Amino acid sequence: MILTDFDYVKPGTLGEAVALLAAEGSRVLAGGQSLLVDLRTGDGTATRLVDIRGIAALRGVRREGEGRLHIGALTTLAELAADPLVRAGAPALAEAARANGDPQVRNLGTLGGNLAATGRATDLPVAVIAADATINLAGRGGQETLTADAYATRGLPAGAVITSIEVPVREHRHHSAFEKTADRATRYPLCAVAVRAAYAGDGTAADLRIAVTGATARVQRLRGVEELLLGGPTGTGEVLAAFRAQPRDMFVPGRGASAEYLGHLAGVLTARALARAAAR
Amino acid sequence: MKISLQVNGAPADVEAEPNELLVETLRDGLGLTGTKVGCDTGQCGTCVVQLDGKSVKSCLLLTAQAEGSEVTTIEGVGEGRELTDLQEALRAEHGTQCGFCTPGMVMSLSELVADENAAPSEPEIREWLTGNLCRCTGYHSVVRGVQRACAMRTADTAAAATAAKE
């Protein structure tokens, strides 16, 4: 039972949704798999839920020009995990969508909701950041596009609705993978890592993006680790050494695990992800 | 709010508050108490129903969100009081135990074995059950039940093929 009272509205267009969201206390409702829990437990509040699932423009996965995928924000985690275009072009994103082990949550939870869930580590943000995706938003100021790095540093602007993401797909150059150790009770990541790498002829890393969540204060790119690994081999030894060379305060304790443990876990998961990416 | 649903194949027009959850409408409004409330926060899976053929947690869905959808509950699987192959196999393998999680398990697993040729492996079945908790800890017998149900169908199909040849 949800004890908070709120209004429920279901606009048919993005314009109507943005106008409705301008009011204080309005929140976006998509799959509801985080929001309804928060309203139930009292961890979140709302006076009006704006159900965006009736907006057709927010659906679908398609190729957008040369080497880009356009993925609508209402794409469910189940659809994302199974989509042939996503699996071929951005496998780390499909793996991240599949990483929530609960099929019922995957059937309702959406890409946009997973990216927008605030205050908790979720699976998709690392994959979106590692993929160098851009995030399309609609808000009071109109449409806006956020780069993955801006999203990683600043998060999402208040009151904005995620409409879609665009993912660069370079099948023959970049290889990506996602790894996660889940908290057993909640299935949220204790730590999750996504990588995207390109390799030179001799197997050394020519281009590298690594993103982590759970082990750090917020989801972020690990530029320090990337810099140490760039131009060299990315075996387990090198990766763990690069993690050990990071500032001590980079990793933070969480979900009963120490910072030291989570920092090591992030290194192990990164090494696994890079090994799988290299084999692709 | 007035909400129109299809529940177990029949139209159901219900009056629901905006913050009413589908599980509350099913149990308290429509008297379909086979769907259970366990944790009420989307962890335990006792409230799983199918929404347009996909298994979902009815404690994580507002009734208003289900407007126009086809909802299937445990009361709506099988013909009348006949058990489905899956239910029969779970019974035969003693996959029910105390029974509280069973309706949710059946509604979840029905999606896994929806395809007639489905033959999920033991790890696939166990992974699929991530969203369903059994606190009798009886997963072994549930897994055997799912595999038995799939084997029953394969045997039926083979028998039908043989009969057709003859």
Side-chain angles (χ1 to χ4, degrees):
Chain A
M1 183 178 285
I2 296 176
L3 297 175
T4 320
D5 286 324
F6 47 77
D7 291 332
Y8 168 91
V9 280
K10 190 173 182 184
T13 67
L14 191 56
E16 289 171 59
V18 168
L20 287 162
L21 284 163
E24 182 79 22
S26 287
R27 295 190 63 180
V28 177
L29 174 65
Q33 302 301 284
S34 304
L35 178 57
L36 294 180
V37 175
D38 287 349
L39 292 173
R40 160 71 186 76
T41 57
D43 290 327
T45 56
T47 52
R48 176 197 275 161
L49 296 189
V50 181
D51 183 350
I52 59 170
R53 292 193 312 156
I55 305 171
L58 306 186
R59 295 193 177 274
V61 179
R62 61 175 191 268
R63 279 185 201 281
E64 188 91 338
E66 196 58 35
R68 288 184 86 75
L69 276 185
H70 173 103
I71 308 175
L74 287 174
T75 306
T76 65
L77 300 182
E79 289 164 349
L80 204 52
D83 190 279
L85 290 174
V86 178
R87 286 166 67 116
L93 193 57
E95 288 170 3
R98 183 67 182 73
N100 186 316
D102 183 327
Q104 288 73 47
V105 170
R106 293 201 301 268
N107 276 341
L108 285 178
T110 64
L111 164 67
N114 201 280
L115 293 178
T118 49
R120 55 163 63 108
T122 51
D123 297 315
L124 291 186
V126 282
V128 165
I129 292 165
D132 198 14
T134 51
I135 301 171
N136 296 318
L137 310 164
R140 270 165 269 183
Q143 311 260 348
E144 189 190 345
T145 297
L146 214 57
T147 64
D149 290 332
Y151 166 63
T153 354
R154 299 204 307 264
L156 296 166
V161 192
I162 300 172
T163 56
S164 62
I165 67 168
E166 283 183 35
V167 187
V169 178
R170 299 169 202 156
E171 281 109 315
H172 303 299
R173 205 169 90 78
H174 282 113
H175 306 278
S176 74
F178 170 91
E179 288 284 340
K180 167 184 176 180
T181 296
D183 176 74
R184 291 296 294 270
T186 62
R187 297 175 288 276
Y188 283 108
L190 188 64
C191 178
V193 167
V195 303
R196 191 189 74 170
Y199 294 94
D202 61 358
T204 56
D207 185 22
L208 203 52
R209 291 176 71 93
I210 301 171
V212 66
T213 194
T216 44
R218 45 172 293 127
V219 57
Q220 66 180 84
R221 247 182 103 176
L222 294 176
R223 290 177 191 269
V225 175
E226 292 171 8
E227 279 162 20
L228 288 175
L229 292 173
L230 206 57
T234 60
T236 305
E238 289 87 2
V239 173
L240 292 181
F243 272 82
R244 280 196 297 269
Q246 298 308 304
R248 292 185 75 92
D249 60 356
M250 170 164 276
F251 302 103
V252 297
R255 295 190 184 275
S258 69
E260 187 188 9
Y261 173 84
L262 289 174
H264 179 70
L265 179 60
V268 170
L269 295 177
T270 301
R272 284 183 194 162
L274 283 168
R276 285 203 300 114
R280 281 188 160 138
Chain B
M1 303 172 70
K2 193 170 164 5
I3 312 289
S4 296
L5 311 167
Q6 287 276 324
V7 179
N8 297 331
D13 293 329
V14 297
E15 192 63 39
E17 292 298 321
N19 64 354
E20 187 167 322
L21 296 162
L22 181 62
V23 67
E24 295 166 344
T25 301
L26 293 172
R27 287 177 56 84
D28 305 338
L30 299 172
L32 297 170
T33 53
T35 304
K36 307 300 183 198
V37 180
C39 69
D40 208 12
T41 50
Q43 315 251 337
C44 78
T46 61
C47 69
V48 173
V49 300
Q50 291 199 353
L51 186 76
D52 299 323
K54 300 279 186 193
S55 58
V56 301
K57 291 180 174 168
S58 61
C59 79
L60 288 189
L61 190 74
L62 299 174
T63 304
Q65 288 177 282
E67 163 74 36
S69 292
E70 167 73 42
V71 179
T72 307
T73 70
I74 189 68
E75 289 88 348
V77 304
E79 298 289 327
R81 289 185 171 270
E82 287 218 355
L83 299 183
T84 62
D85 285 352
L86 175 64
Q87 289 173 303
E88 181 56 41
L90 286 171
R91 189 197 62 75
E93 293 290 346
H94 196 55
T96 56
Q97 306 197 64
C98 91
F100 188 80
C101 72
T102 306
M105 290 257 188
V106 169
M107 299 317 293
S108 168
L109 291 166
S110 297
E111 184 185 348
L112 180 66
V113 301
D115 185 284
E116 275 184 28
N117 298 314
S121 66
E122 178 177 339
E124 283 167 348
I125 297 165
R126 287 185 183 277
E127 225 257 324
W128 187 268
L129 287 172
T130 301
N132 294 89
L133 299 184
C134 163
R135 279 307 172 250
C136 305
T137 70
Y139 297 98
H140 295 316
S141 47
V142 174
V143 170
R144 283 198 301 271
V146 177
Q147 290 178 320
R148 185 183 183 118
C150 294
M152 280 162 62
R153 287 200 302 204
T154 310
D156 285 351
T157 314
T162 311
K165 264 187 204 164
E166 287 165 359

